[in-house]
Amino acid sequence: MKICIVYNAHPTGCSYYRLEMPNAYLGDNYPEFDYVCVENITTISDEGLRSIDLFLFSRLWVQGTMEQVENVYKALTQFGAKIILDLDDYWVLESGHIMYRMYHEQKLADVIRKHIQLADWVTCTTKHLADRIRPLNANVSILQNEPYEAYQQFIPHPEEEPDKHLVKFGWFGGAQHGEDIELLRDGMERMYFDKELDGKYRIYLGGWNDGNPVYEGYEQVFTAGGRNANYGRIQAADIYSYVGGYNFVNVTLAPLRDTKFNKLKSEL
């Protein structure tokens, strides 16, 4: 079977965990699968289309009108190929999400719904998300996120851990979690004011991005307004190395607001 993985947005967490990593495992262990990878489907010739049995996409195959979505589907499947669409979270964003305006203006929720309806099969991360997909497409399977040990960053290296006498808390995430980070504000203030804890712990902000105002806002929460010295940054890293930051913490923080979007996210 010849499988074409389309990396129309790479490298991202979605393309890494949902496309690259699981198919690297299949390619390493099942020789019956033959792979070709492209970033742009327009580069595939008719001869190439004839040779492909299965296309894999994350979230969408084209960001355009409903007619364009249908036309691209027909073009890709004209020689008998099937399309699997993978979704790792809910396609409807709430107003507090950093990408809400763009999604609303481009009507991306409707565009993704159309993709779900047309796809030959849909894969997703959890039962909760599958329950949302099934009314649009009954052909849905749950494939949980599972790190592949061939990617070396998932092997712990505790020798990298500094300050072993401290209890180290860490949060790792992207710029879309402003409302979630706000859940930590009261707790961070309490830790700062409890002077008996001073010098016994450190709080790390993972994913620090110099000059990014979102992370500067995060830092104000983590440091109780810049006052808490029990704090450190872990610089942002690419998807192939960022997990190494977990070597520096004992406890990870994962604040999530009680929203429909968060309830339908991939398991952390």
Side-chain angles (χ1 to χ4, degrees):
M1 174 180 283
K2 190 165 188 177
I3 299 173
C4 179
I5 305 176
V6 184
Y7 291 109
N8 48 24
H10 188 69
T12 66
C14 291
S15 65
Y16 181 46
Y17 285 102
R18 305 299 299 170
L19 294 179
E20 178 180 340
M21 195 181 300
N23 286 288
Y25 173 82
L26 290 177
D28 289 345
N29 293 277
Y30 297 89
E32 61 266 36
F33 295 120
D34 182 25
Y35 285 93
V36 60
C37 302
V38 300
E39 295 181 358
N40 189 333
I41 53 176
T42 63
T43 63
I44 306 174
S45 65
D46 281 354
E47 182 180 352
L49 289 175
R50 287 189 178 92
S51 70
I52 293 169
D53 300 299
L54 180 65
F55 287 95
L56 300 180
F57 289 91
S58 175
R59 191 159 304 188
L60 42 75
W61 49 78
V62 62
Q63 188 170 321
T65 65
M66 299 299 181
E67 184 179 9
Q68 288 173 320
V69 174
E70 292 183 358
N71 288 342
V72 171
Y73 173 82
K74 291 175 183 177
L76 293 175
T77 59
Q78 62 182 303
F79 301 114
K82 301 297 184 182
I83 291 179
I84 291 180
L85 181 72
D86 183 75
L87 295 171
D88 87 317
D89 56 22
Y90 195 34
W91 54 92
V92 180
L93 303 185
E94 287 150 341
S95 59
H97 196 285
I98 195 171
M99 297 179 67
Y100 173 77
R101 177 173 292 184
M102 184 271 285
Y103 259 63
H104 181 71
E105 291 174 349
Q106 299 185 17
K107 299 181 179 179
L108 274 177
D110 293 333
V111 171
I112 295 173
R113 283 191 193 96
K114 188 66 173 178
H115 280 75
I116 295 170
Q117 291 169 336
L118 288 172
D120 296 289
W121 208 276
V122 182
T123 56
C124 68
T125 50
T126 69
K127 175 184 181 300
H128 307 292
L129 187 54
D131 289 342
R132 294 282 173 173
I133 294 169
R134 201 164 281 113
L136 300 174
N137 191 329
N139 298 325
V140 57
S141 297
I142 300 165
L143 302 178
Q144 295 179 317
N145 289 336
E146 184 68 34
Y148 179 24
E149 63 272 12
Y151 288 76
Q152 295 299 307
Q153 66 169 317
F154 295 99
I155 299 174
H157 295 284
E159 66 275 13
E160 296 179 7
E161 180 185 318
D163 303 321
K164 294 188 177 182
H165 63 287
L166 300 177
V167 177
K168 294 170 289 297
F169 300 87
W171 177 88
F172 299 81
Q176 71 273 24
H177 289 287
E179 290 189 329
D180 299 321
I181 291 295
E182 279 298 319
L183 297 175
L184 297 174
R185 187 178 293 276
D186 182 61
M188 295 299 179
E189 290 276 345
R190 292 185 185 187
M191 290 185 74
Y192 165 69
F193 282 111
D194 190 341
K195 297 307 178 184
E196 291 187 3
L197 296 177
D198 224 18
K200 298 179 181 178
Y201 69 92
R202 181 163 293 135
I203 301 168
Y204 282 103
L205 170 57
W208 172 262
N209 198 321
D210 293 320
N212 188 320
V214 173
Y215 286 87
E216 292 170 359
Y218 290 175
E219 187 169 76
Q220 288 298 301
V221 173
F222 278 68
T223 60
R227 296 170 293 178
N228 195 342
N230 301 286
Y231 167 77
R233 298 169 177 171
I234 296 177
Q235 291 288 329
D238 63 39
I239 60 171
Y240 298 104
S241 57
Y242 82 94
V243 172
Y246 286 95
N247 287 302
F248 296 92
V249 303
N250 309 117
V251 182
T252 56
L253 305 172
L256 288 173
R257 292 174 65 241
D258 186 9
T259 66
K260 182 183 294 185
F261 179 80
N262 281 342
K263 288 177 179 178
L264 297 173
K265 287 177 68 68
S266 298
E267 294 175 331
L268 296 174

